Amino acid sequence: MKKSHRFGAIALAAAATLTLASCGFGGGSSGGDASGKTTLNLLVPSYSDNTQGLWEDVISGFEKANPDIKVELEVQSWDNLESVIATKIQGGEAPDIYNGGPFAGFAADELLYPAKDVVSSDTYSDFQDAFLANAEVDGTAYALPLIASARALFVNNALLEQAGVAAAPKNWDELLDAATKVSKLGGGVAGYGMPLGSEEAQAEAAVWLWGGGGSFGDASTLTIDDPANLPGAEQIKKMIDAGATQADPGSTNRSPLMDIFVQGKIGMQVGLPPTVGQIAENNPDLDYSIVPIPTKDGSAFTLGVMDQLMAFKNDDSKKDAITKFFDYYYSADVYVPWVQTEGFLPVTKSGAEALSGEEALKPFLDVLPDAQFYPSTNPKWSAADGAFKSLFGQIQTKSAQDVLTEIQAQADAG
Amino acid sequence: MSSTTDTSSNPAGAATGRPRTGGAGRTGDAPAGSARGKPGGRDLAKALPWIAPALALILGVVLFPAGVMFYNSTRDISQSGVDKGSVGFDNYVEVFSFPYFWPIFLRTIVWVVVVVVFTVLISLGIAQILNKAFPGRRIVRLVVIIPWAASVVMTTMVVYYGLEPYFGVINKFLVDVGLIDTPEGYGWTRNPTTAFIWSIVIAIFVSLPFTTYTILAGLATVPGDTIEAAKMDGASPARTYFTVVLPQLRGALSVAVLINIINVFNSLPILKVMTGSIPGYDADTIMTMIFKYIQNQHKVDVASALSVVAFLIVIVIVAVYVKVVKPTREV
């Protein structure tokens, strides 16, 4: 009797343990074509509350033009996206079209169609060359640029004026000086908003490390633990030690901190094109300006981020349908409103022309030529990205060198 | 074999022997001697149709995923989820050679012990109050269920936002009463130690209802005459409680502790929400580490290995608990 009870207890423990371990098995729909239709599965992340509606409009327009093709849409949050795609691939349920960030790992596993194979040559030549180059692995583009964004420094003019800072900072010394002065205003006001928390630590890291002349490496090698990255990392520590940032920068996430900027409690913070809309909606009275990101020597620089669409090789009979979908999507009439509503920058030449007159996008379009990108074609980048997210914030307490070493080690192990 | 033992044995506590006679009756016209001597063969064949659905469920929901988990833990699975073949026990080597593994392990033990001990102590008190008749007791009993009825993530998010600097109500309150002198508040969830302590507080809060109700059920089974007898003998209330009531709660307490240990050990959402933005591994338990392997590093293989380790740890803890406390021993 005692034995059976123990067995029961262990079975209970087993059941409870496994609820966590087994939650990775999700179902997926396969390309069912009962009515002779080709079904395309589309997995996309949610950029904003509009995303789902925008895709639904694209799909209904596309299905009207191509009645023999059906498109199944699945929208996931960015937080879950990468685990969802990994689970689907592991379960043999990869979507046909996927919108995401890092893709080199998929290309290395030979899961993707080369970009050339799934769009017409007209569409292919319409992409801006720099973006297409950024989607290449060993000279072949495996993903289609979807949207781009660039970053710039959002400055709260009122706070800077109150603190007696005459002009927006252009280099690190001016930034440190201005931020320290704003922080001294007191009342919970922070000079510089520095989000090094897990949400997007890699972006803030890039802003500083690259701004000091460093880089994360290229398609073949990652150079995170590199002397060139030290000046930027040391400058971050200097900012924190001088009290020029908000409290606990190491574990502050970007989105909530941006809300604080919008509320007018932060002097300066690096933001994205959608931030403009966010301010207009939540605090239209905020007196702010958008300036290029200050760097060590004041040279122009911005962190460019490009998201991609990629097509998975599931069933060769779907290739034509995928090509039709991409050609439809990238036509200026469909693509431009999509990009515009989401508040990002277009990656096609025709799109850039159509949006060149946009006032809000101008500061970002101006800095775009100086954009540097993550080495996202490096197969290890995804691991490095994760390592930045979970480790970089430690720079608040640990030495800059130790943090870089630890990130490099985790990235290399990935 | 274990399944037949399981079905014919008595559930804990109901040791009156009645189920056993019932079991003998169930064998019907079969000779009593053979049924008792060799319970295998025919009995099993007869029982199988009845227990098959349960067995299928256990196989499909418990054993199959466990098997897959163990299988995955010995494979090399690429970041995008492609299986690249066997690597033996390399994933386990990676788990144990991770420099933060032992701190995380110790933190997990602290997490389980502190949460379970405080939960049980507080629940004993609450159950005692709820066991007394007072006006409005029914409403108070319902109120105690609320933390249980609400989603754990929701409860945690409420506290998390309350603790946010700049706009959290808890921070605002502490600033207004003068306990914190920075006007934007303190980053409770931004520092590993404070975030971990708050997580413990929330874990205790959400574990209270179940534990309280289990103990309350136990209190209902304490016969009134034993307490009366103690009173007649002139025992003080404290002595009555510790020598008469508490020993009779043994069954209820052992169930409550066992289930709490497993639950708390496997709890992810509270720590995930409360410590998610903290860099490094200074506030992680084994569960959040499994999550980080999957989410940040996309190492499903290593995460599986750590899950297997976690599974073994739970089994060891439960085995030690069953051995030491002997929850089935009669009072």
Side-chain angles (χ1 to χ4, degrees), chain B:
Chain B
M1 198 55 219
S2 55
S3 61
T4 46
T5 329
D6 219 23
T7 47
S8 64
S9 73
N10 302 327
T16 55
R18 219 179 308 128
R20 182 150 300 178
T21 39
R26 233 190 291 135
T27 52
D29 50 6
S34 79
R36 189 147 299 192
K38 273 203 295 175
R42 281 183 62 187
D43 270 7
L44 184 64
K46 275 189 182 170
L48 207 55
W50 299 95
I51 58 172
L55 280 181
L57 199 68
I58 291 171
L59 280 176
V61 177
V62 178
L63 295 181
F64 171 68
V68 173
M69 181 172 84
F70 181 74
Y71 176 75
N72 277 347
S73 74
T74 63
R75 313 293 291 179
D76 174 19
I77 297 172
S78 81
Q79 288 192 4
S80 44
V82 178
D83 192 333
K84 300 210 159 153
S86 171
V87 289
F89 288 92
D90 281 8
N91 292 323
Y92 291 88
V93 173
E94 183 170 348
V95 163
F96 287 107
S97 58
F98 181 56
Y100 297 97
F101 177 79
W102 291 108
I104 287 173
F105 176 80
L106 285 178
R107 203 171 298 112
T108 311
I109 302 296
V110 169
W111 163 253
V112 172
V113 170
V114 173
V115 172
V116 172
V117 166
F118 277 91
T119 302
V120 169
L121 289 181
I122 297 171
S123 297
L124 279 171
I126 298 177
Q128 208 60 40
I129 294 168
L130 293 182
N131 199 38
K132 279 263 174 286
F134 57 87
R137 179 170 75 162
R138 190 181 291 232
I139 293 166
V140 176
R141 280 190 172 185
L142 277 176
V143 168
V144 172
I145 302 190
I146 288 178
W148 202 3
S151 136
V152 174
V153 175
M154 204 173 84
T155 313
T156 315
M157 285 308 271
V158 168
V159 180
Y160 180 80
Y161 279 114
L163 291 169
E164 277 286 281
Y166 292 101
F167 53 79
V169 283
I170 300 174
N171 255 327
K172 189 117 185 64
F173 173 77
L174 293 174
V175 170
D176 285 352
V177 299
L179 284 174
I180 298 178
D181 48 12
T182 46
E184 76 271 21
Y186 180 74
W188 296 103
T189 55
R190 308 259 198 269
N191 295 285
T193 316
T194 51
F196 193 67
I197 292 171
W198 274 103
S199 304
I200 289 179
V201 171
I202 298 170
I204 294 171
F205 178 71
V206 300
S207 307
L208 283 179
F210 167 75
T211 319
T212 305
Y213 270 79
T214 312
I215 295 173
L216 201 53
L219 282 175
T221 64
V222 174
D225 47 4
T226 56
I227 297 169
E228 213 178 310
K231 225 178 240 168
M232 297 274 282
D233 290 344
S236 69
R239 200 178 148 86
T240 310
Y241 183 75
F242 285 107
T243 57
V244 177
V245 178
L246 207 53
Q248 300 194 65
L249 285 177
R250 188 191 182 92
L253 269 180
S254 56
V255 170
V257 170
L258 187 64
I259 291 185
N260 267 319
I261 289 177
I262 297 167
N263 249 345
V264 171
F265 184 91
N266 286 326
S267 166
L268 171 74
I270 297 171
L271 285 161
K272 156 85 178 81
V273 171
M274 295 296 287
T275 67
S277 68
I278 295 172
Y281 305 100
D282 294 335
D284 280 317
T285 63
I286 290 180
M287 285 303 133
T288 58
M289 198 56 223
I290 293 175
F291 183 79
K292 282 190 174 174
Y293 274 130
I294 299 174
Q295 179 83 4
N296 290 344
Q297 305 185 29
H298 309 293
K299 289 179 180 169
V300 178
D301 42 9
V302 182
S304 300
L306 186 54
S307 301
V308 172
V309 172
F311 179 48
L312 295 177
I313 293 173
V314 173
I315 288 183
V316 168
I317 293 176
V318 170
V320 168
Y321 175 79
V322 170
K323 184 97 188 144
V324 173
V325 182
K326 298 195 175 63
T328 53
R329 204 185 64 192
E330 296 304 320
V331 182

Side-chain angles (χ1 to χ4, degrees), chain A residues 73 111 137 170 215 239 272 292 342 350 384-385:
Chain A
L73 177 69
L111 298 170
V137 175
K170 288 190 176 56
S215 100
M239 294 283 291
L272 292 150
E342 288 287 29
S350 57
D385 181 68

Side-chain angles (χ1 to χ4, degrees), chain A residues 346-405:
Chain A
V347 292
T348 60
K349 290 166 189 161
S350 57
E353 268 167 44
L355 287 178
S356 56
E358 279 288 312
E359 194 63 33
L361 293 180
K362 195 172 177 308
F364 296 98
L365 287 168
D366 285 351
V367 290
L368 206 51
D370 300 307
Q372 293 176 37
F373 295 92
Y374 296 126
S376 54
T377 48
N378 189 309
K380 301 257 185 209
W381 168 245
S382 177
D385 181 68
F388 268 105
K389 285 186 170 121
S390 56
L391 298 173
F392 192 71
Q394 296 180 103
I395 200 162
Q396 189 188 337
T397 47
K398 285 193 183 176
S399 88
Q401 181 62 55
D402 288 355
V403 174
L404 294 181
T405 309

